[in-house]
Amino acid sequence: MRLGLALGYWGRGPSPDHVELACEAERLGYDSVWTAESWGSDAFTPLTWIAARTSTIKLGTAVAQMAARSPTTTAMHALTLDHLSGGRMMLGLGLSGPQVVEGWYGRPFPESPLTATREYVDVVRQVLRRRAPVELDGRFHSHPYRGPDATGLGRPLRSITHPLRPDLPVLLGAEGPRNVAQTIRIADGWLPLYWSPDRPHAYGPAVAELPDGFRVAPLAQARICDDVTEGLLPVKTMLGFYIGGMGHATRNFHADLMARMGYEEEARRIQELFLAGRREEAVLAVPDAFADEISLVGPRERVAERLESWRKGPVTDLLVVAPDRTTLRVLAELNS
């Protein structure tokens, strides 16, 4: 099982230690470093900054949001950074949800998310493979554009720049069973947001039959500490925000996933509290058991024991959200 460092997206401003953490992860033998975006900082610019300061560690987006860019624009970002980094780029994509797609990007959330995702990946693959000009007469993505307001002057184009790797890995963030099943069919890897080694069934039956070489790369908060309860607080804070506020009360993919993982009543309670403005109570309502099973928190011996259960399943890459160099070092030692 390879280790990756997940840096996420910025909060109020850029983190002063992200580049240093990435360099430390490279020194410790981590395989990859990953950035993200939500509705603030973008995923590609910080990753380019990190690429300039490192030499061997792979570079991934977990995730770049599809609504933020046309698929050809995303492919341009990926092929450019792949060239500049010497072939270290991995493109992780996610659809996000209606709240972000419509509220931030000002675009309609697709009524058929699976079709929209499939078309997006198709166009990205066409650009990267550069076998012919890009053409797709899709439901959500049309190349050339042929809508009712089109000039009719558009023509299929092929990238001027030759991609460094036509098989640049494409991974998808997916939560629902049908979305996961499609991800396994069309992508090179999968980025689960929450992963419990004891509950792979929550993502559907397709997880039991993964193709050779397919990456399963969940994000997990990790912290080496003496007090497990205290160490779980950042995990619960993250869950309170995602389960409670990252989506509408009637359509929250994260809350639905928590429900499928056996915590339906607790998920709805977290939503209720968060949306009522009682955010601290929402965080405290996150069960310690749920926060614990999707993270690696506690003394070294406890984390070492739990790490074994992660290795026994289909996980190929553990993307660690770690607050300190000690945790990064201990995980590297335990995984060696």
Side-chain angles (χ1 to χ4, degrees), residues 39-323:
W39 53 87
S41 61
D42 78 285
F44 289 101
T45 308
L47 201 61
T48 305
W49 195 254
I50 291 167
R53 296 282 298 276
T54 56
S55 57
T56 59
I57 197 166
K58 296 184 181 69
L59 310 157
T61 54
V63 293
Q65 296 179 330
M66 290 184 246
R69 308 162 187 87
S70 71
T72 48
T73 307
T74 295
M76 289 166 65
H77 278 298
L79 73 85
T80 301
L81 185 48
D82 202 42
H83 269 291
L84 293 174
S85 66
R88 292 189 278 151
M89 179 67 194
M90 293 187 287
L91 179 60
L93 300 170
L95 193 59
S96 193
Q99 185 180 51
V100 175
V101 173
E102 297 184 357
W104 181 248
Y105 294 115
R107 302 183 59 183
F109 187 78
E111 69 270 21
S112 179
L114 291 177
T115 302
T117 299
R118 189 167 58 250
E119 291 179 2
Y120 199 102
V121 172
D122 184 349
V123 174
V124 169
R125 297 276 203 202
Q126 287 190 53
V127 174
L128 294 175
R129 288 170 179 162
R130 202 179 175 274
R131 293 172 182 165
V134 176
E135 287 194 81
L136 180 68
D137 187 14
R139 181 175 172 186
F140 299 98
H141 299 285
S142 179
H143 296 265
Y145 178 67
R146 299 184 179 91
D149 55 345
T151 63
L153 301 177
R155 63 186 180 89
L157 297 172
R158 179 163 47 182
S159 174
I160 297 170
T161 304
H162 291 233
L164 182 64
R165 293 182 299 159
D167 58 349
L168 185 154
V170 176
L171 299 87
L172 294 175
E175 295 182 43
R178 292 176 61 217
N179 199 352
V180 171
Q182 174 174 272
T183 294
I184 293 169
R185 290 195 305 271
I186 70 173
D188 302 302
W190 170 40
L191 296 159
L193 182 59
Y194 311 133
W195 176 263
S196 169
D198 301 324
R199 304 176 193 266
H201 60 274
Y203 286 101
V207 178
E209 299 180 7
L210 300 174
D212 291 341
F214 188 83
R215 286 181 180 257
V216 178
L219 284 80
Q221 291 203 45
R223 187 173 184 181
I224 302 298
C225 59
D226 294 328
D227 190 328
V228 175
T229 301
E230 181 183 346
L232 287 175
L233 278 176
V235 185
K236 295 177 65 169
T237 299
M238 176 273 294
L239 288 169
F241 175 62
Y242 273 75
I243 303 299
M246 191 70 85
H248 191 268
T250 61
R251 196 169 189 183
N252 183 315
F253 302 135
H254 311 306
D256 293 344
L257 174 58
M258 183 177 174
R260 287 197 303 276
M261 295 177 78
Y263 297 92
E264 181 170 7
E265 184 177 339
E266 293 88 341
R268 304 312 169 198
R269 178 59 176 162
I270 293 165
Q271 280 189 293
E272 178 185 331
L273 290 168
F274 193 95
L275 295 174
R278 298 157 64 183
R279 297 192 175 190
E280 291 185 9
E281 292 179 65
V283 169
L284 294 176
V286 176
D288 281 8
F290 180 59
D292 191 33
E293 68 180 272
I294 65 168
S295 62
L296 289 161
V297 172
R300 179 187 178 113
E301 296 74 17
R302 183 178 194 269
V303 170
E305 180 180 344
R306 298 196 63 247
L307 199 60
E308 286 301 315
S309 64
W310 289 71
R311 288 198 191 96
K312 291 176 182 177
V315 174
T316 61
D317 299 75
L318 175 60
L319 309 189
V320 178
V321 183

